[in-house]
Amino acid sequence: MCGIVGYIGTKKATPILIDGLLKLEYRGYDSAGISTLEGTGISNIKETGRVKNLSESAGISDLSGTIGIAHTRWATHGKPSRENSHPHLDNSKTFAVVHNGIIENYSELRKFLTDNGYTFYSQTDTEVIPNLIHYYYSKDEKDDSEKFLRAVRTACNDLKGSYAISVISKLYPDEMIVSRKDSPLVIGLGNNENYIASDIPAILSYTKDIYLLDDYDIAELHNNSISFFDKNLNKIEKAAKNIEWDASSVEKDGFDDYMIKEIYEQPRTIRETISSHLKKDEPCEFPELNITKEYLSGINKIFFVACGTAMHAGLASRNTFEKLLSIPTEVDIASEFRYRNPLIDEKTLMVFISQSGETADTLAALALAKQKGAKTVAVSNVIGSSITREADYTVYTHAGPEIAVASTKAYTSQVVLLNILAIHFAEILGSYDATKLNTFKNEILELPEKVKSLLDNTDTIKKFATDIHNEHDIFFLGRGFDYPVALEASLKLKEISYIHSDAYAAGELKHGPIALIEDGITVIGTITDPNLKDKTISNIQEVITRGAKTFIVTNQDIKKENYNFVFDIPETNPLVSPILSIVPLQLLSYYVAKDKGLDVDKPRNLAKSVTVE
Ligand code: F6R
């Protein structure tokens, strides 16, 4: 959702800040703003709409300050407007603040400040922060070098809710203060310059040495130093982490959009995810997990909890866990999970799947699981994200930064990783035939090549996309392992093409949805499980009889002449077929959206990481 970038150094801050904001555009936003220190004051420029509007705004090219903060806002309190966009200044224009998160007690704080003579010019929760800082700064009689830091700390102590903030002040022309609680913030170490950002991709082309802040940590940045303090302003030490992500991974590399680039990256991202845990003829390895045979033998349930595509990755992997481990495995939507008093205890293994690691509902579900004493594992793509700090253990997908709002490469990495995790547990428990397990491992090792072969052959998909791009309703069907694929394909299509679509377990069709099938309607089916093939074919026959136009993704021997379009995928173990069958359907949504002339990377109303519940 909102994005933060900051720079302190010797170069002109504005181009670096604008570049960082552009790298964060994928998160979704509706306005953008920038503050730099210029001479003896703070310059503050904001625009609604795209970062491009801000970069072309009057006066922006005159900014020459070498310290600045910038922000992309996704409206929560107050409509998208210049007044409501960040940075926000206090009444005396001494402090400028950018903020991600939500201040839950902002009405109380606003009242307190209004009673003390402050005026508010926006409807945001954020505007209380610079004014509170000013309030505490002016009340502090001690005039030492920590006065600015102290004012920010004391103001933060009053905030309830979540925040990642960065503050600059005209009184401190070579200093920036940052702090966080429940919202991400990283600091990038440079050479005689330092950076801050809500997300690593914003600053990856400047530095790969990143400090991660813990909740309530506060940091004081200068050109050539960074000092860290805890909640009580005791100095603490932190070590920078070197981030392996390649700076070019946040560029489009000649592709038209990030989404298509990320779809084409999948052979590599799947390979990298596999190779971290699985090598030919060796037991799987998860050194980051300390899960013993004794523990696994004692658990009564495994639970996957996540949202959206990540939840579909859980659905696509559940059967593997049940088959290899014979342990009941459930999947739930994070926003529902905690409101149904879930039956979990210390014998439940809870797996939370989140690409960004910042999804508010998933984090809240994780907190509940911990309260109930369950062991928690995070599956995340972002090093140091909130979920990785909260869970007992973390395993990382190695998908690299995913910029397009619609998740593609993160999904396939999640499904691959979860399948390998199931094998790892089966090896610990000895719960599945070793020879069959070995064959399954070899099939996983072949996946990158198989995905590559799919991507080399996209003509049918492009043709079919053009054929359907003006439609209003599309149905996806699948049974067994093909059902989560139908759900995920349908989600992908609606989020980027804005075509209404529904996904059904093929056997459910005649219990209601078949009433919607009429002449010419498009039905997309996936058939990859030999045991369910005949049944799915019968269900698809039922829609053909009622006039449906069909597109089938399959690796089974079917009578192709019965369908309008057929896309062949390589054979594989049905347990991992969702990794192959989703790829042509990702491409289908991409080409449909392109045919409609839509912005595939930034679909309307959506944000890349959903940090509100
Ligand atoms: C869909 C999509 C979303 C996310 C969901 C969870 O393409 O990207 O449905 O999967 O918002 O996000 P994470 O995985 O970051 O928790």
Side-chain angles (χ1 to χ4, degrees):
M1 295 191 146
C2 307
I4 290 179
V5 192
Y7 174 78
I8 178 164
T10 52
K11 300 184 187 119
K12 242 172 137 175
T14 305
I16 296 169
L17 297 175
I18 296 284
D19 178 53
L21 290 185
L22 287 170
K23 302 254 167 59
L24 292 183
E25 279 199 300
Y26 70 96
R27 290 178 60 96
Y29 68 99
D30 43 56
S31 49
I34 189 168
S35 283
T36 53
L37 291 182
E38 303 288 330
T40 54
I42 299 175
S43 280
N44 189 229
I45 301 180
K46 318 190 216 189
E47 288 295 340
T48 52
R50 296 286 189 217
V51 173
K52 191 165 178 297
N53 301 352
L54 178 69
S55 68
E56 290 167 358
S57 190
I60 200 118
S61 53
D62 302 332
L63 301 180
S64 59
T66 59
I67 160 167
I69 51 180
H71 190 264
T72 44
R73 172 175 187 257
W74 189 85
T76 55
H77 297 69
K79 63 178 189 312
S81 67
R82 265 200 196 147
E83 298 68 45
N84 287 334
S85 52
H86 303 206
H88 286 282
L89 271 60
D90 69 298
N91 288 177
S92 70
K93 301 198 185 330
T94 305
F95 301 99
V97 171
V98 284
H99 163 229
N100 281 4
I102 289 182
I103 305 305
E104 288 163 5
N105 59 336
Y106 84 101
S107 314
E108 269 166 52
L109 295 172
R110 211 169 154 121
K111 176 161 187 326
F112 167 79
L113 289 163
T114 311
D115 290 348
N116 279 280
Y118 289 84
T119 306
F120 287 88
Y121 300 96
S122 78
Q123 289 116 41
T124 64
D125 51 342
T126 302
E127 204 184 350
V128 296
I129 305 174
N131 286 308
L132 262 187
I133 294 171
H134 177 266
Y135 174 82
Y136 286 117
Y137 189 85
S138 50
K139 290 270 173 273
D140 190 342
E141 282 170 8
K142 241 177 110 202
D143 205 6
D144 58 8
S145 62
E146 291 194 350
K147 190 169 176 179
F148 180 18
L149 182 72
R150 234 174 6 252
V152 177
R153 170 77 286 156
T154 320
C156 285
N157 289 347
D158 283 354
L159 306 178
K160 294 208 173 90
S162 55
Y163 59 84
I165 57 163
S166 177
V167 194
I168 56 173
S169 169
K170 68 175 185 186
L171 303 176
Y172 296 84
D174 62 350
E175 193 168 327
M176 180 185 295
I177 307 282
V178 300
S179 187
R180 62 155 276 177
K181 182 194 161 263
D182 293 336
S183 279
L185 195 75
V186 298
I187 299 176
L189 176 67
N191 188 5
N192 208 24
E193 58 192 354
N194 291 305
Y195 306 84
I196 59 130
S198 51
D199 294 71
I200 296 168
I203 53 176
L204 200 57
S205 50
Y206 303 103
T207 176
K208 288 188 180 177
D209 294 323
I210 302 288
Y211 291 102
L212 303 170
L213 290 185
D214 289 319
D215 277 351
Y216 302 106
D217 283 352
I218 185 161
E220 182 183 301
L221 285 77
H222 297 266
N223 290 359
N224 46 15
S225 71
I226 307 171
S227 311
F228 299 96
F229 304 86
D230 68 8
K231 199 175 179 174
N232 302 315
L233 289 187
N234 299 312
K235 224 167 174 183
I236 49 175
E237 294 301 322
K238 281 194 181 279
K241 274 189 200 280
N242 189 266
I243 301 295
E244 287 168 15
W245 288 352
D246 186 348
S248 71
S249 61
V250 294
E251 309 293 343
K252 285 189 195 154
D253 278 351
F255 285 91
D256 283 351
D257 308 276
Y258 283 111
M259 182 178 176
I260 190 73
K261 178 194 167 214
E262 288 164 5
I263 291 174
Y264 272 84
E265 277 177 331
Q266 290 178 107
R268 180 176 58 76
T269 53
I270 292 173
R271 183 175 296 110
E272 287 178 5
T273 302
I274 294 173
S275 64
S276 315
H277 306 283
L278 169 62
K279 295 193 179 58
K280 199 166 170 48
D281 300 327
E282 288 180 24
C284 296
E285 279 190 0
F286 281 84
E288 60 277 62
L289 290 178
N290 184 16
I291 300 236
T292 60
K293 182 167 184 174
E294 193 191 357
Y295 168 74
L296 279 179
S297 315
I299 61 175
N300 54 17
K301 200 190 318 174
I302 298 175
F303 234 126
F304 294 138
V305 179
C307 300
T309 290
M311 194 273 293
H312 294 157
L315 285 176
S317 317
R318 169 184 51 195
N319 292 7
T320 312
F321 276 76
E322 293 201 326
K323 183 163 182 164
L324 303 191
L325 308 176
S326 302
I327 298 175
T329 304
E330 281 188 47
V331 183
D332 208 348
I333 298 169
S335 55
E336 291 291 319
F337 173 76
R338 64 206 171 99
Y339 299 111
R340 67 179 178 89
N341 199 12
L343 299 176
I344 53 175
D345 55 29
E346 60 287 347
K347 289 191 170 166
T348 317
L349 174 61
M350 301 286 312
V351 181
F352 295 88
I353 313 160
S354 176
Q355 186 284 128
S356 62
E358 302 296 345
T359 301
D361 284 314
T362 310
L363 289 170
L366 167 59
L368 176 73
K370 285 178 77 177
Q371 252 173 42
K372 295 199 171 226
K375 201 184 269 292
T376 56
V377 175
V379 173
S380 182
N381 195 39
V382 179
I383 297 170
S385 56
S386 301
I387 204 168
T388 67
R389 292 143 185 271
E390 297 302 326
D392 298 321
Y393 304 101
T394 298
V395 280
Y396 285 105
T397 46
H398 292 267
E402 193 178 61
I403 307 288
V405 164
S407 181
T408 53
K409 61 176 181 168
Y411 168 80
T412 46
S413 285
Q414 286 159 348
V415 181
V416 159
L417 183 71
L418 289 168
N419 273 277
I420 302 173
L421 189 61
I423 299 174
H424 175 58
F425 289 169
E427 286 177 336
I428 295 176
L429 278 174
S431 55
Y432 200 71
D433 179 85
T435 316
K436 284 191 190 153
L437 216 48
N438 210 37
T439 312
F440 184 34
K441 283 158 79 169
N442 288 336
E443 281 165 319
I444 292 181
L445 288 164
E446 288 166 8
L447 286 171
E449 275 311 308
K450 289 183 177 172
V451 172
K452 187 167 178 310
S453 73
L454 287 176
L455 292 168
D456 289 341
N457 174 21
T458 58
D459 287 353
T460 319
I461 299 166
K462 286 182 187 155
K463 224 158 103 194
F464 183 58
T466 306
D467 198 63
I468 62 169
H469 77 278
N470 282 325
E471 297 200 0
H472 295 288
D473 298 290
I474 291 181
F475 293 89
F476 288 86
L477 299 180
R479 275 175 180 261
F481 294 102
D482 296 321
Y483 176 46
V485 174
L487 289 167
E488 173 57 9
S490 169
L491 175 63
K492 239 28 2 136
L493 184 73
K494 48 180 134 317
E495 62 185 332
I496 61 164
S497 76
Y498 315 148
I499 295 178
H500 166 257
S501 74
D502 259 328
Y504 291 104
E508 270 294 290
L509 205 62
K510 47 186 154 320
H511 299 286
I514 201 161
L516 295 168
I517 304 297
E518 54 186 8
D519 206 25
I521 202 122
T522 296
V523 175
I524 298 175
T526 307
I527 311 175
T528 64
D529 186 342
N531 297 321
L532 297 173
K533 168 184 146 189
D534 291 340
K535 289 210 173 357
T536 312
I537 287 177
S538 305
N539 298 137
I540 292 175
Q541 195 50 51
E542 289 157 11
V543 299
I544 293 175
T545 311
R546 287 159 181 84
K549 173 166 70 188
T550 51
F551 177 90
I552 307 296
V553 174
T554 189
N555 51 14
Q556 301 297 302
D557 186 16
I558 60 169
K559 284 202 179 103
K560 293 192 178 163
E561 61 278 16
N562 289 353
Y563 312 98
N564 299 86
F565 293 84
V566 174
F567 187 86
D568 290 309
I569 61 167
E571 272 184 40
T572 189
N573 189 319
L575 294 175
V576 285
S577 64
I579 296 160
L580 298 183
S581 45
I582 194 60
V583 176
L585 298 171
Q586 294 170 339
L587 285 167
L588 180 67
S589 17
Y590 173 80
Y591 287 118
V592 169
K594 287 302 270 186
D595 277 338
K596 292 183 79 171
L598 298 170
D599 181 346
V600 286
D601 286 339
K602 297 185 280 294
R604 68 184 180 207
N605 305 340
L606 294 177
K608 182 67 183 163
S609 80
V610 183
T611 49
V612 293
E613 289 175 32

